[in-house]
Every structure is written in C-alpha cells, then in structure tokens.
Amino acid sequence: MTNDHRFTGARYIAFEGVEGAGKSTIAKRVADHLEAAGETVLLVREPGGTEVGEKIREILLLTDHHITPRAEAALFAASRAQLVAEVVAPALAEGGWVLSDRSAYSSLAYQAGGRGLGLDEIFDLNDVALDGVWPDLVVLLRIEPGVGVARQSEGDRIGNEAAIFHEKVAQAFDDLAEEEPDRFLVVDASLPEDDVVDAVISYLGVAP
Ligand code: TYD
C-alpha cells in the first residue's frame, strides 16, 4: 500500500500508528539504512527526546492520577515544543534527517480523535508548540488496533485504554491519511518486517 505521491526530499519524518504497530523498530531500521547511505540521521521519540521531555513523559505515562484530556494534550505539546526547539529544528537546519517515533500526528489521532477534543483545537495547540515545524512525511504503520495492542509487551496509562479508544485512534489516523495524501505514506504493518522497511526505503529513494 503506497500513495502515488513521490517523496521530494524533505527530511522530518514521523512514524505513526496505533500501539504495537512496530514504529520504534521500523524507524530504527530506516535510520540505519540512511546512515549506511552516508546521511546524517537523528532518531527521536515522543513524548520525550529531551531531558525535560522525558520528565513530562513520566507524568503522562506513569502517573496513577487522572489527567484531564486538555491537560494531557498540553503536556504532549509541551514535550514536543521542547523537542522541536532543542533538537529537531537545529538538526534540520544543519541538513540532517530527523526520524521521529511518534509526533504531533499522534496528538491529532489520540487527543483529537481518541479523547474527542477535536482536530481544530489540537491542531492549533500543536502548531504553536511546533512553531510551524510539522513533519514533512508521516509513515503510517497500519495495523488492526486489536492486533497491535495484543503485540505490546507492556502497557502504559494510554496504551491500557479500552479497545474502543484504540479503534477511535486508528480511525483518526486513517482519516488524517485520507485528508493529507501527499504527506502520508501508508504501509501495511501486518506484513513481514523486511517488507515494511523496504516499502519505506524505496519511497524515500535513498540508495544503499
Ligand atoms: P509510545 O511510547 O510510543 O507507546 P507505544 O510504543 O506503546 O506505541 O507512546 C506512548 C503513548 O502515548 C502511546 O499510548 C500513545 C500516546 N500518545 C498520545 O496519546 N499523544 C501523543 O501526542 C503522543 C506522542 C503519544
């Protein structure tokens, strides 16, 4: 499953999908490939990726307290604002690639879709946080939410939400991909890992 759009060289790439879609593994393998091809690559994860961001990650994922949907969205955005300013924008400015395990698109799927806050609010919040630096390409690793959640070794506060929540998130990702076909590469993440990696690499068009 690939979009018709041909990737034109922009370098901020987000790997997205429901829990257990294999984002971290695939992002790492694509980063390794790019590095082997002589490219400068930075691999980051959200929430986290900076000292402040990792602290926010602990609050978001490990706390036992109830966090309201808006507070949750704001915390994700805060972690992201720090990451973009401290790490992503400087790396892009130096001409490197930034591969991100999740991104603002997770907030559009989880907080806007899953929590029901709506796209307008979450887009605006994140546009401020990112200072306009949105990912150039979103690789959506698509898998049935039930299959993905079952693949997870350990859950967290959000990963352990009910099945209906993850179904809403999966639907939101599909809607986002449909809305912005030029920005999304949709890959069937139930395929063997090598095939998923090959699909992304051939789309990027960076020779080994
Ligand atoms: P992550 O550690 O990537 O979890 P997994 O590898 O299990 O997919 O992400 C942590 C959780 O945070 C995950 O349940 C998705 C959620 N999340 C949001 O709800 N909004 C966001 O903006 C981000 C980045 C993550």
Side-chain angles (χ1 to χ4, degrees):
M1 247 191 306
T2 54
N3 299 341
D4 291 338
H5 170 74
R6 194 71 206 152
F7 185 63
T8 53
R11 294 173 161 216
Y12 180 16
I13 304 177
F15 290 79
E16 292 285 4
V18 297
E19 323 286 315
K23 295 173 297 297
S24 315
T25 311
I26 303 298
K28 171 84 175 75
R29 287 192 56 185
V30 173
D32 288 347
H33 172 88
L34 291 172
E35 273 175 353
E39 302 287 332
T40 304
V41 185
L42 188 72
L43 190 57
V44 295
R45 73 164 178 179
E46 289 199 21
T50 63
E51 215 174 308
V52 169
E54 291 296 327
K55 290 204 160 83
I56 297 172
R57 180 183 177 91
E58 284 178 25
I59 299 173
L60 273 163
L61 301 181
L62 302 180
T63 188
D64 290 332
H65 296 289
H66 172 69
I67 302 180
T68 71
R70 279 206 175 87
E72 182 179 278
L75 284 166
F76 278 115
S79 166
R80 184 165 296 135
Q82 189 77 20
L83 182 68
V84 159
E86 214 175 278
V87 177
V88 174
L92 293 172
E94 282 176 16
W97 296 72
V98 177
L99 271 49
S100 188
D101 181 351
R102 294 198 180 278
S103 72
Y105 279 86
S106 278
S107 282
L108 295 177
Y110 282 78
Q111 279 65 53
R115 298 290 191 219
L117 289 173
L119 276 179
D120 289 349
E121 179 175 323
I122 299 304
F123 178 85
D124 289 348
L125 174 65
N126 280 279
D127 201 35
V128 171
L130 292 172
D131 199 13
V133 185
W134 287 80
D136 301 302
L137 174 70
V138 181
V139 176
L140 176 58
L141 299 174
R142 199 172 179 283
I143 194 166
E144 287 307 312
V147 176
V149 172
R151 269 189 190 178
Q152 269 190 311
S153 47
E154 58 197 57
D156 53 49
R157 194 182 60 83
I158 296 175
N160 290 336
E161 285 286 346
I164 179 75
F165 176 83
H166 295 290
E167 279 156 24
K168 282 190 205 162
V169 171
Q171 184 62 52
F173 273 129
D174 285 349
D175 293 346
L176 289 163
E178 210 174 312
E179 193 69 28
E180 288 196 285
D182 285 356
R183 199 188 299 257
F184 273 74
L185 171 67
V186 181
V187 183
D188 179 354
S190 68
L191 293 172
E193 196 181 295
D194 284 352
D195 294 353
V196 176
V197 173
D198 285 350
V200 180
I201 287 171
S202 66
Y203 188 80
L204 295 180
V206 177

